[in-house]
Every structure is written in structure tokens, then in C-alpha cells.
Amino acid sequence: MRHLITILFALYCSLLAAPAQSVKEIIRQRPSYASCNYDTYPDSIQTTLTPAPAGKKPFYISHYGRHGSRYISNRNGYDTPYIMMLHADSLDELTVEGRRVLHEMNSIMRDTEDRWGELTGYGKRQMQEIGRRMAQRFPEVFHPGAHVTAISTVVPRCIESMGSACMEMLQVCPKLKVSMQASQRTQWYMNYQDRKLRHNYMTPEAQKAYNAYIATRMGNTRLMELIFKNPDIVKEFVDEEYFNYYLMKMSLFQLNTNYNRNTNLIGLFNTDDIYRMWQIDNVLWYIQHGACKLNGGRQPYTQRHLLRQMIADADSCIKLPDPGAQLRFGHETVLLPLVCLIGVNGYDLATDNLDDLEARGWWSSSIFPMGCNLQFIFYRSSPKDKDVLFKVLLNEVEATLPIKTDCAPYYHWTDFRQYCLDKLAAYKP
């Protein structure tokens, strides 16, 4: 019987994890997907969740989420193509199309100036909608008198995101008892940046593989000929590879700044151009935060403190009759390695072949768009019930974990807890 359960569970996981579309097809339909961590949060969310096993009811939620859509964090990414364009314009080297592009870039720079890293109106709406859906989906947790404890990193966009989500929850259930906090005292797990791991991810082996991977994917001769009168001349001060890459980033990032705003710059690029940029970014994020064998596969352990804290918090809350919800608001550079460390949806993939990533479903864009979130939903029949179940929602969609279960997509908390603690204990800094 246990063998049959294992087979059925493996089949369930493979079906759930199997991509319904190719990355290229997704990008053709929604170009913003190619911008990875700059992608906007999905507009439509799966609303039907798998019913809990008989007698089990949600009683506690543990969450870590990224802030909503923001302005670019600093002007360096925009300055790279912008300064090149200004130089070309000063020498009268822009085509008619090039002058149109520069006009659009000027508008973008004016709109963004002195807003670096700020939460946008679109970002606030994202967080409101996520908070509203959470409260509406789990009324057993968000009921009158329930406690909602929210913690944010000290970054303003995260604090505003926390406030937007919590205030919307209060619209759904006005009698919630909500507390919010942003303090340096919680930074050690809310936004821990392991300097040793973060500064040594690009080993010689990783660098060699990365250089080989991107060699045929950088640059865009067609774009150069479209914008500059004499591409061969302007190459003295316009780096084709950087110009192409950062102008694409600029065009896609603008989708975060105004609700459903379409930027004219996207039309400069075809699906193949944008797809190649996604491939470049995806492998870099994997090397930086995934279980990449080229650098020892240790990068996800940057979030070992957060995982331990979430386990400890859950253990404490399970003992309470009505624990409510614990919400945490931070950054994608925390959530991505956390997902990889836990192994959500197979993102603990370990390989030294960068060409494997896409085919095996390691798509960073599906993890960490603006507003991304990881929700642990806990279930039991009563406070005396020792068999606590839980399930994971990645961006509000049911996800899989790398452990056996007889009630997928639900898992026994004790099994997952032991799996994580064993994995953490095996790590040696």
C-alpha cells in the first residue's frame, strides 16, 4: 500500500510540475515574464483549492512575501543605455526611430527621478489584492478577534506593502487584531545576506559555464541598425551587448510603474530578443541563488536562519488554540533561495549543466515577480489534534514539496519539519 502511495504521489508531482507552455510561448503572450524579478504579479490567480482531508480546517498561516511593484532601485540600469543614446544624439547619429526612442527614454527618466526603489500605485494594488484574497480564502484564520502579526524589513517599500496588505484584510474582517512592525532587530532572518556565500557564487567553473552560455545570446545587430545611422561608428562608445540588454530591461520594467501601462519601447524587440534575455537572467539567478553544482550548490543556505525561524514560529503557534497568521514582508533575494532551500516545485534542482535548467522547469520568473509570496496553510481538526497538516502556496497556487505524503497537496507537518531540520543540520558554513 505504501509503495502504491509513493507511485501515485510521484505521478501527481510530475503532472503538477509539468509546464503547460514553453517559456518562449509564455513570453510571446506576456513579454514581462522575460524580465524575471522585474515581472509584474500575475493578474489572474487560481481560485479553486483542493479541499482539506475530512475534518481538517485551516487554523494558522505562515507567510513570507516580497513587496509589490516598485520603481527601479537605482538609476544605474537606466543610465547604461540612456547615456549611450545622449552621446549618439549629440553627434547626430540617431535615426528617426532613434530620436523617438530617446524621447520615450527622456519621459521615463523624468517619471522615475527621485523615486528610486519606491512602491508604485500598481504595487500597492497588488498587495491589497493579495491580502484580500488571503483573508477571503481562509475565513477560519481571519475571523473576528484573530491575531495577525506582520513584520517587515526596514525598507520603505516593504513597510508600505505590509500596510497595504493588512489594511485590506481589515476591510474583509474589520475586527481582526493586527500588529505591524519594522525593526533592525528582525533583519537577521528577514533579510539576511550571507556575505561569504553571496560574494563567492561566481567560481571559476561557474564563470566559464556562464560565459559559454551567454556567448550566443548577447547583442542585437538589428537594433543597432534601427536606432543608429552608422552602427559601426557608434560602436566606439555604444556597447552593443549592454545597450541591447539594458534597453530591453528599461522597456519591460516600465510595466511596474503605472497600472497596465504599455511602454512604446517594447515594440523594438521581438520574441526571440526578449527570450534570449530571459535565458541569460535565468541562469544567472540560478548560479546566484539555486543549488548550482558549479559553485557547490550551497547558495540556498543563505536563508537557513529564516527557515529555522519559520519552523520555530510554527511550532509555537501550533500549541495555541487560535494562533491566527504571521506575515513577513521582504525581498526576492530572500524568497528565491528560500524556495530553493525548501525544494518547492522542484526548485531544489542541482545541476552543473546550465542548458538543463529551462527543460527541467527551473524558471525563476515563476517564483519571484513583484509581490511574490510563499504561504504555509496549516490544518487540524481541533487544538488537540496532533496530526497537523499543511500545504504550500507559491504565489497563491498549490505547490509540491520533495517529501512523501498520503494526502497531496497536503503534507504532515512533522514530516516536513524533520526534513528541513535534517537538511539544515547537514550544512556546514
Side-chain angles (χ1 to χ4, degrees), residues 195-426:
R195 293 184 180 180
K196 182 178 179 181
L197 289 175
R198 291 292 300 275
H199 292 172
N200 295 289
Y201 71 88
M202 194 60 84
T203 60
E205 294 83 0
Q207 187 71 68
K208 181 179 178 181
Y210 177 69
N211 289 345
Y213 184 88
I214 70 172
T216 60
R217 294 174 168 88
M218 295 291 285
N220 190 333
T221 301
R222 179 189 57 80
L223 180 68
M224 296 289 287
E225 293 174 347
L226 180 67
I227 289 179
F228 303 108
K229 293 179 180 178
N230 300 287
D232 290 337
I233 294 176
V234 301
K235 279 186 177 181
E236 295 181 8
F237 55 88
V238 174
D239 184 303
E240 179 180 332
E241 295 182 349
Y242 273 43
F243 180 75
N244 173 60
Y245 178 85
Y246 284 105
L247 187 57
M248 263 192 283
K249 283 287 188 181
M250 190 177 201
S251 69
L252 292 169
F253 195 94
Q254 283 308 106
L255 296 175
N256 290 286
T257 60
N258 291 292
Y259 194 61
N260 288 336
R261 181 184 188 276
N262 293 316
T263 171
N264 296 324
L265 296 182
I266 292 178
L268 296 170
F269 306 99
N270 59 40
T271 299
D272 286 337
D273 296 333
I274 301 173
Y275 170 59
R276 287 194 299 271
M277 183 190 72
W278 175 85
Q279 290 182 306
I280 292 168
D281 277 358
N282 192 58
V283 299
L284 183 58
W285 282 110
Y286 178 68
I287 294 170
Q288 288 178 324
H289 297 289
C292 180
K293 289 184 177 180
L294 295 166
N295 56 20
R298 295 156 60 87
Q299 295 306 118
Y301 285 96
T302 58
Q303 298 315 310
R304 59 193 182 276
H305 300 317
L306 174 59
L307 181 54
R308 283 190 184 277
Q309 185 66 37
M310 292 180 74
I311 292 172
D313 287 345
D315 286 345
S316 296
C317 286
I318 287 171
K319 298 175 182 178
L320 301 175
D322 187 19
Q326 290 181 309
L327 312 178
R328 306 169 186 88
F329 296 85
H331 308 271
E332 84 276 30
T333 52
V334 173
L335 191 137
L336 174 58
L338 177 65
V339 165
C340 295
L341 180 59
I342 294 172
V344 177
N345 284 352
Y347 280 102
D348 54 350
L349 172 67
T351 182
D352 57 5
N353 185 350
L354 300 181
D355 290 306
D356 269 359
L357 291 183
E358 185 176 342
R360 296 177 68 177
W362 203 98
W363 303 352
S364 59
S365 301
S366 294
I367 302 176
F368 63 175
M370 301 285 186
C372 59
N373 55 89
L374 192 66
Q375 301 177 25
F376 289 3
I377 318 298
F378 289 75
Y379 293 76
R380 66 188 178 193
S381 58
S382 73
K384 295 182 179 181
D385 184 0
K386 300 299 182 183
D387 184 23
V388 174
L389 303 181
F390 85 112
K391 66 180 173 184
V392 176
L393 305 183
L394 176 59
N395 297 327
E396 303 178 77
V397 177
E398 291 175 342
T400 64
L401 294 171
I403 59 175
K404 295 178 181 179
T405 181
D406 56 1
C407 52
Y410 296 85
Y411 298 83
H412 297 274
W413 171 247
T414 53
D415 292 344
F416 175 73
R417 179 184 184 279
Q418 192 60 52
Y419 166 79
C420 290
L421 292 178
D422 288 346
K423 189 169 187 177
L424 291 170

Side-chain angles (χ1 to χ4, degrees), residues 84-195:
M84 293 178 186
M85 287 289 285
L86 290 176
H87 193 170
D89 185 47
S90 71
L91 300 177
D92 193 28
E93 282 293 337
L94 294 181
T95 62
V96 172
E97 181 66 9
R99 290 196 296 272
R100 184 194 68 79
V101 170
L102 180 58
H103 176 76
E104 178 77 5
M105 293 173 79
N106 281 326
S107 298
I108 291 172
M109 296 301 286
R110 285 194 300 270
D111 177 62
T112 309
E113 188 66 38
D114 292 331
R115 291 176 171 173
W116 315 115
E118 292 180 3
L119 192 70
T120 66
Y122 187 14
K124 292 177 182 177
R125 281 187 285 271
Q126 288 167 347
M127 302 311 296
Q128 289 168 346
E129 291 167 4
I130 292 169
R132 174 178 49 78
R133 282 192 294 266
M134 191 186 299
Q136 290 177 338
R137 276 178 153 183
F138 305 106
E140 300 91 341
V141 177
F142 298 93
H143 59 78
H147 291 271
V148 176
T149 303
I151 299 175
S152 166
T153 68
V154 295
V155 178
R157 60 180 174 270
C158 298
I159 298 171
E160 287 187 75
S161 294
M162 173 176 65
S164 296
C166 289
M167 291 302 102
E168 192 66 21
M169 289 176 173
L170 283 168
Q171 291 295 315
V172 176
C173 183
K175 292 186 179 181
L176 289 174
K177 296 180 179 179
V178 177
S179 66
M180 293 183 280
Q181 173 185 305
S183 172
Q184 288 289 349
R185 295 188 68 177
T186 56
Q187 290 289 97
W188 66 272
Y189 70 88
M190 284 291 294
N191 192 21
Y192 180 67
Q193 304 295 329
D194 188 309
R195 293 184 180 180

